[in-house]
Amino acid sequence: MVAYRSYCANYFLLVLISFCLLHFRDRINRETLTLTLPETNTTAVNDVKDDADVVDRGAARSNYIVRFVEYKDAEDHRAYLQGKIELDGWEWIERRNPAAKFPTDFGVVAIDELARTSLIEEFERLELVKDVSADLSYSRSVLAEGAGRVGAFVDGKKRPGKIFSSMSYSEGEYYATDMSNSTISWNRHLLMQRYQVTSFFGARGLWEKGYTGAKVKMAIFDTGIRANHPHFRNIKERTNWTNEDTLNDNLGHGTFVAGVIAGQYDECLGFAPDTEIYAFRVFTDAQVSYTSWFLDAFNYAIATNMDVLNLSIGGPDYLDLPFVEKIWELTANNIIMVSAIGNDGPLYGTLNNPADQSDVIGVGGIDYGDHIASFSSRGMSTWEIPHGYGRVKPDVVAYGKEIMGSSISANCKSLSGTSVASPVVAGVVCLLVSVIPESDRKKILNPASMKQALVEGAARLPDANMYEQGAGRVHLLESYEILKSYQPRASIFPSILDYSECPYSWPFCRQPLYAGAMPVIFNATILNGMGVLGYVESPPTWHPSDEEGNLLSIRFTYSEVIWPWTGYLALHMQIKEEASMFSGEIEGNVTVKIYSPPAQGEKNIRRSTCVLQLKLKVVPTPPRSKRVLWDQFHSIKYPPGYIPRDSLDVRNDILDWHGDHLHTNFHIMFNMLRDAGYYVETLGSPLTCFDARQYGTLLLVDLEDEYFEEEIQKLRDDVINTGLGLAVFAEWYNVDTMVKMRFFDDNTRSWWTPVTGGANIPALNDLLAPFGIAFGDKILNGDFSIDGEHSRYASGTDIIRFPAGGYVHAFPFLDSSESAATQSVLITSAMAKADSPILGLLELGEGRIAVYGDSNCLDSSHMVTNCYWLLRKILDFTSGNIKDPVLFSTSVRQAAALYQDDNQLPSRRTDVDFSAYSAVVGKELVCRNDSRFEVWGTKGYSLHVRGRSRRLPGYHAIDLGRGLNSTVETSNLKRPQWTQRNKDEHSANNFFGLLYRDELDMPVLVASHWLVPALIAVTGSFAFLKLLANSAEAAPAQERVKLWSIR
């Protein structure tokens, strides 16, 4: 009875927390992506079996997910809607699948397109309705041998389904034989040895100890499996969640994944042959799935108490909220999820969701030489950009190149991709789960403790950085040793930041700290193996190992509430001004205390102290001419809006989703600048938040946002009077082309058109207007050469205003702005090439300015040729007044100004609500926590009183930092405060303040900062209510946490 009361009390605590955090609304308004409704009738993929499809697919109807605030039988939800909604034009869709016998938290309705807006408004007014969203379609490609990888876009056109990353591709099939090895060719024998992936991890050592994955329930979300496949001895259940009437795998991917995890065939052994296989067929033969199928399948996995779940899919859209929230619910219910990090490598900033979530084990791929596979996506996570810094992902890497697994035909074949590496880790996890006695598994094993065992046991690769390999290659036997003696605890990942460890600590090890710099942010993950819910007991503390450590000031932002299983700890590090001439190392530890409520049968609170070791390199403050400031604040990326790719020649990846950060798709440029002796810092706040006297050049590259009037005024003064150099790399912008680039998205049932061009030229022109400079709306393409350096101008713009006396370079380029940008275009006489100005250099007052109309040559995502040579020459000029004789030839000096009237300048779009994506439009100017400590929470330099900054509401007064070693800024999650708000007081932007660029009450750093309140707000105690309803007959340990929302 005591345990029962303790259990109830713990869950009641969750309910109390939910009430106090309801000012975050867990919904997203995807209508911001809509330009116009479809003009013709459209059809949607069936959501149910043929005999249950009650929707007239010939009509203009689309399926939508209606989420409710609590779990009930589907019929109860249906009756509730039918009793409350008086409008016509909608119909409930019955879902006949194995989850139908369990309570559900959502329903699927078909809505007439003409009545969509009014019906969705009516649904969302209902007290028990959480939100309404499109039933998104997932699609992925399992490619044939010799084929190229296929993504969401082909030749500029969007394929049906949700935006995705292709997950694997074939390397070949190998057929079984009854002959002995002596009669098999020697080459074949060596080949089979090479591909036996289990031998590389020492799995046989655990098999010989009797650990084979027995009594571990493994959910495989994929393309299904054949019932009588001879490679498997323990297929427990096969379920179909699609609209096709089959349980079999007709593609082979699900069979292959299952084989890697639990195959028993000698030539393609799996890791845990006795694991219980539960095959969830969530993809059709056309490789299409829907969110509603996943939600039902996820609910069923929770209801049937799965232990491990492998999900070899992913994509860039981390704002598919019903899907993302259900992942949180899965892990909160102690299901260990393993997911592929994506096949968008070697590009950086290409992590796929859900593997990029901190509660999921994200897996990257390596080859048999322990090198990062070229296809494996790289970090960092981009949820936190531009106002913070990304997390380390993947968590671990595993072999994913030419891995042998089971085929449909009962032979073996090889596949490559992170969707292959993912089941390798899932198989390792199943094997490790079986090591723990079944009676103790739920007490010890959870998503956090398993991740701790994997990352702490991993073998670090010597030639890869943390955003390529995470903790390193999975080491089965080391993780086994950790789990054998594991006691629930919290830890930090990564646990060490060492500037002397290159390349692992890249980019930190590439640039030392120095006084006067912007704070360097390191974003670590808190793993809480003590419980699904945890708290930070006291502020983190910096403990320097010697007196020199006092030269370092650290401020912390972190998630006070850790749920589910994970949180974040971000360090904002500055060197004090008195260390401007210091050179050496600073060492010490950061500690933070975590506690969780007592576990079942326990009376005492669980506590743990986490330690993060620091070893930092410090150098004297560099001269101004060597310091470059990168503007991150004015960058906007996908999601939530359609932000187009900078080069329109790239038609298979048309979204700009890689982060546009120095350490993602501009990482090669960052390394080049460091090699050239420049120190590059990042500004994630407005231009009023930096001291121009400290920097040689402000670097503006590929920016999409607007500018505050105060920024425009300050930059003018910074350049003309303070001597700041300004270097601008713009991009294309043409409204007609943007309109032609639109596509109809069957996911959101709406037309998508770009929110802006490759860059926001109208905004840049406002910023440059005080200098007499403006860009045009041409889209230029062509090759050119300056001083023997050859470059490609890829979808760049032209310069149409420039002062007399400046130096302007023009070249004969093709203007494709009048053509369909996403279609193949034939060059005709009507599209003659003409000289277009693309590069301008100017001395103005005390400062110097350089503008160039293309940034693709700096962006490693889809670069044709680089222009690093040009960037170096520009920085030599803007920072050091060193003039290259070719760039400053008298032949290109402008005797007269370039000038076009205002009505000839590119204009802003009037059909887009830009405030939904902007950090400027409709927002208040404020310096965030990635600016210098002395201006946190103010409007910036020259706009506040020195010494004691003028404060904005919600910010604590901040000392200038000269006397403190560490200061704390936590998330705004305090202990429960009993406030209640109306449902209509919330907006989607309040919840996704970081992602929709709204300014919250506190500076927001990372995903967990807003994820946690959202999670807790929707975290429910379905198990608690069930316990009260059903008395104490069911053992508390068997109850499950369900997500729900309280209005």
Side-chain angles (χ1 to χ4, degrees), residues 81-95:
L81 293 182
Q82 290 176 338
K84 295 289 185 178
I85 301 297
E86 298 180 356
L87 297 177
D88 294 328
W90 70 279
E91 192 166 9
W92 179 273
I93 296 180
E94 184 178 358
R95 311 189 311 279

Side-chain angles (χ1 to χ4, degrees), residues 221 316 324 447 810 952 1035:
F221 278 55
V324 171
L952 296 178

Side-chain angles (χ1 to χ4, degrees), residues 17-25 981 986 1017 1045-1047:
I17 296 172
S18 299
F19 274 103
C20 77
L21 294 171
L22 289 181
H23 61 286
F24 286 89
R25 180 165 181 177
R981 294 189 182 181
H986 303 281
S1045 178
I1046 309 172
R1047 293 293 181 192

Side-chain angles (χ1 to χ4, degrees), residues 179-186 189:
M179 295 184 292
S180 66
N181 286 342
S182 60
T183 61
I184 301 176
S185 72
W186 183 242
H189 185 60

Side-chain angles (χ1 to χ4, degrees), residues 51-63:
D51 60 344
D53 190 359
V54 297
V55 180
D56 179 7
R57 298 298 179 181
R61 280 191 168 185
S62 302
N63 292 352

Side-chain angles (χ1 to χ4, degrees), residues 972-1033:
N972 51 349
L973 297 178
K974 305 302 180 185
R975 293 295 181 263
Q977 297 176 2
W978 294 100
T979 58
Q980 188 170 2
R981 294 189 182 181
N982 228 328
K983 173 179 177 180
D984 295 332
E985 291 177 5
H986 303 281
S987 70
N989 288 353
N990 286 339
F991 175 69
F992 276 96
L994 170 65
L995 304 171
Y996 275 89
R997 332 271 304 185
D998 282 350
E999 182 61 34
L1000 303 184
D1001 292 338
M1002 289 291 295
V1004 178
L1005 177 69
V1006 294
S1008 300
H1009 207 146
W1010 53 263
L1011 297 184
V1012 170
L1015 292 169
I1016 300 298
V1018 298
T1019 227
S1021 284
F1022 181 80
F1024 170 68
L1025 298 177
K1026 181 178 179 181
L1027 190 61
L1028 295 179
N1030 299 336
S1031 74
E1033 291 182 5

Side-chain angles (χ1 to χ4, degrees), residues 306-453:
M306 293 294 110
D307 294 312
V308 186
L309 190 152
N310 183 80
L311 192 60
S312 287
I313 66 163
D317 186 4
Y318 49 76
L319 293 185
D320 180 4
L321 192 56
F323 184 88
V324 171
E325 273 194 358
K326 192 59 68 173
I327 301 297
W328 300 334
E329 183 179 351
L330 274 165
T331 60
N333 281 279
N334 210 9
I335 296 176
I336 300 169
M337 176 172 283
V338 182
S339 187
I341 208 69
N343 283 351
D344 295 293
L347 306 180
Y348 278 63
T350 56
L351 303 176
N352 284 202
N353 179 266
D356 61 350
Q357 295 181 209
S358 59
D359 54 326
V360 175
I361 298 171
V363 182
I366 58 175
D367 60 25
Y368 285 109
D370 279 355
H371 302 112
I372 302 298
S374 60
F375 54 74
S376 186
S377 290
R378 273 71 164 169
M380 58 184 169
S381 64
T382 58
W383 295 34
E384 301 80 5
I385 297 172
H387 307 307
Y389 197 80
R391 290 165 286 114
V392 174
K393 279 280 183 170
D395 296 298
V396 291
V397 291
Y399 298 117
K401 179 74 172 174
E402 300 174 349
I403 302 300
M404 295 298 294
S406 301
S407 69
I408 299 177
S409 59
N411 295 296
C412 297
K413 68 176 182 179
S414 69
L415 286 179
S416 296
T418 56
S419 69
V420 175
S422 181
V424 167
V425 174
V428 167
V429 168
C430 287
L431 199 53
L432 291 173
V433 170
S434 68
V435 167
I436 307 300
E438 190 176 7
S439 59
D440 296 331
R441 286 178 186 172
K442 293 301 182 182
K443 299 176 184 177
I444 296 176
L445 295 179
N446 55 59
S449 63
M450 182 57 71
K451 186 180 287 191
Q452 286 172 329

Side-chain angles (χ1 to χ4, degrees), residues 693-746:
R693 296 169 299 177
Q694 306 300 317
Y695 298 94
T697 298
L698 174 67
L699 185 55
L700 310 181
V701 179
D702 184 23
L703 299 177
E704 296 88 2
D705 212 339
E706 296 286 331
Y707 298 89
F708 292 104
E709 185 61 33
E710 295 91 332
E711 294 182 281
I712 297 174
Q713 295 173 3
K714 178 178 179 292
L715 184 61
R716 177 187 180 278
D717 182 68
D718 287 343
V719 173
I720 296 176
N721 299 323
T722 311
L724 176 71
L726 178 63
V728 180
F729 285 73
E731 267 300 338
W732 69 271
Y733 183 96
N734 183 278
V735 173
D736 291 338
T737 299
M738 284 185 263
V739 173
K740 291 177 182 178
M741 289 176 66
R742 74 173 186 167
F743 61 84
F744 183 72
D745 181 28
D746 65 326

